[in-house]
Amino acid sequence: MASVACIGECMVELRQAQGGHSTGSSAAQGQGGGLYSRGFGGDTLNTAVYLARLEVKVDYLTALGDDALSDEMVAAWTTEGVGTRRVVRLPGKLPGLYMIQLDAKGERQFFHWRDSAAARQLMNLPETDELLNSLMSYDIVYLSAITLSIYDAPGRERLFAAIKRARLLGTRFVFDTNFRARGWPDRDVAREVFATAFAAADIVLTSIEDLLALYPGESHQQLIARIPAPELVFRLAEPVSLLRFPGGTNEVRAEPMTKPVVDTTAAGDSFAAAYIAARLAGSEPVEAAQAGHRLASLVICYPGAIIPGYAMPPKKRHRPAASRQATK
């Protein structure tokens, strides 16, 4: 069975509860009288959950504390089918925290408290070498620019070196640009790290929003030309993706929305999961992008990053794909 390693950070999430009522595991009274529901979230963790729901074998690689909130996270991931054998637990540490505020159109603004979070230490632990060596056992390693932003420069170098070793044995590297300006106070450093990731990646998932934040004023063609990866999904401001892959290019347009947009959180994360799952199952890039748009269009109709299990689309059977290890 094909397998994916998702690397990143999961945080405690505080989200405005709709209608003043709690929709999460607990609720807190805001200063202005509003309620906030508590859950958990993080871009690559969201992708891992959706991969598991799409019946992909996935492990989440991160560091957590030894506190009750970290225990809740691990239990929740296990319930979702996400593997936790690569989660490092650090005594005395805590997970990070973020708060989401939504406007009337469902667009979100994030506030973070994460500078001392356990996940930031993942590349500098006694367990790090074993963790990085395990990457070569997966068919795909998936991470985002947010993942890279939480590590220092030596940590990023260590991670990229491990990915390059894994790729020599057939592991594919999928990089999601998911740019957040707060994590990159020096844009020149961000551009340098992105260039390294672009050069190492087999598949890049990106958007016009992410790239224009780093390369303002450039055209679609100029932005695409910056990415040498053989397979590229370039999402536009409208629900359209431009694809470039060996043998051709294509444009994939999402089907028109039939329900109102409630919350755009995890739209890109769910797209990534559906795309990766479809590619692992033998679909071509165009069909995989269609699957990505379908799931993302559904996810934004519900509050929060992870929609209820009953709301997931019916499973589509693909041609079974053998794992990389089984085909050696």
Side-chain angles (χ1 to χ4, degrees):
M1 184 178 183
S3 59
V4 178
C6 290
I7 308 175
E9 177 183 21
C10 181
M11 292 176 285
V12 178
E13 176 190 274
L14 295 180
R15 174 171 47 84
Q16 288 175 315
Q18 290 196 334
H21 299 289
S22 170
T23 58
S25 55
S26 63
Q29 188 76 23
Q31 190 174 29
L35 288 173
Y36 286 83
S37 63
R38 174 171 65 79
F40 306 115
D43 64 337
T44 55
L45 186 277
N46 299 334
T47 300
V49 169
Y50 284 115
L51 281 168
R53 289 186 176 187
L54 294 169
E55 300 184 340
V56 174
K57 184 180 179 182
V58 56
D59 286 338
Y60 198 58
L61 282 63
T62 192
L64 291 174
D66 57 353
D67 58 294
L69 289 172
S70 296
D71 290 342
E72 286 185 27
M73 287 185 184
V74 171
W77 304 347
T78 301
T79 299
E80 286 284 359
V82 175
T84 59
R85 57 181 175 151
R86 310 292 187 196
V87 177
V88 182
R89 305 296 295 270
L90 303 180
K93 299 297 290 184
L94 292 168
L97 179 145
Y98 71 99
M99 183 172 70
I100 303 173
Q101 288 188 333
L102 301 175
D103 64 19
K105 296 181 179 179
E107 294 297 329
R108 73 272 193 216
Q109 183 177 11
F110 293 90
F111 302 89
H112 293 89
W113 295 265
R114 70 196 303 191
D115 289 346
S116 60
R120 301 181 76 91
Q121 299 184 17
L122 188 64
M123 293 298 122
N124 301 290
L125 299 172
E127 300 91 343
T128 301
D129 283 341
E130 180 181 355
L131 193 76
L132 293 178
N133 286 335
S134 75
L135 297 183
M136 64 185 67
S137 68
Y138 294 92
D139 295 276
I140 283 180
V141 171
Y142 170 82
L143 57 84
S144 72
I146 294 179
T147 303
L148 296 173
S149 73
I150 69 175
Y151 307 137
D152 58 18
R156 287 192 291 263
E157 291 177 6
R158 199 173 181 184
L159 176 56
F160 279 131
I163 289 172
K164 289 177 181 177
R165 292 194 301 270
R167 291 181 73 236
L168 292 175
L169 295 177
T171 297
R172 286 181 289 171
F173 171 38
V174 180
F175 175 57
D176 191 328
T177 55
N178 211 2
F179 179 79
R180 296 291 181 270
R182 179 183 294 271
W184 301 99
D186 188 327
R187 296 298 174 86
D188 288 334
V189 170
R191 284 185 278 266
E192 182 178 328
V193 173
F194 270 55
T196 300
F198 289 156
D202 297 281
I203 301 174
V204 171
L205 306 176
T206 190
S207 69
I208 185 70
E209 179 184 7
D210 287 345
L211 294 188
L212 283 181
L214 284 178
Y215 313 105
E218 293 195 1
S219 67
H220 292 174
Q221 291 73 22
Q222 288 173 314
L223 294 171
I224 289 172
R226 287 184 173 276
I227 303 173
E231 187 169 327
L232 170 66
V233 180
F234 184 81
R235 299 189 303 277
L236 303 183
E238 60 269 29
V240 176
S241 294
L242 304 180
L243 307 186
R244 186 191 68 206
F245 48 89
T249 60
N250 216 310
E251 177 182 296
V252 176
R253 185 174 297 271
E255 296 178 2
M257 295 287 297
T258 58
K259 297 181 179 180
V261 174
V262 174
D263 183 353
T264 59
T265 303
D269 308 334
S270 57
F271 181 101
Y275 188 90
I276 291 169
R279 292 293 281 131
L280 282 172
S283 295
E284 295 299 320
V286 170
E287 186 180 0
Q290 291 169 340
H293 281 300
R294 280 195 300 271
L295 183 55
S297 295
L298 181 62
V299 167
I300 62 178
C301 296
Y302 292 84
I306 306 299
I307 65 176
Y310 63 78
M312 289 292 293
K315 293 180 175 62
K316 181 177 181 180
R317 296 300 175 186
H318 301 266
R319 175 175 57 82
S323 70
R324 172 176 58 84
Q325 292 80 11
T327 59
K328 287 183 178 179

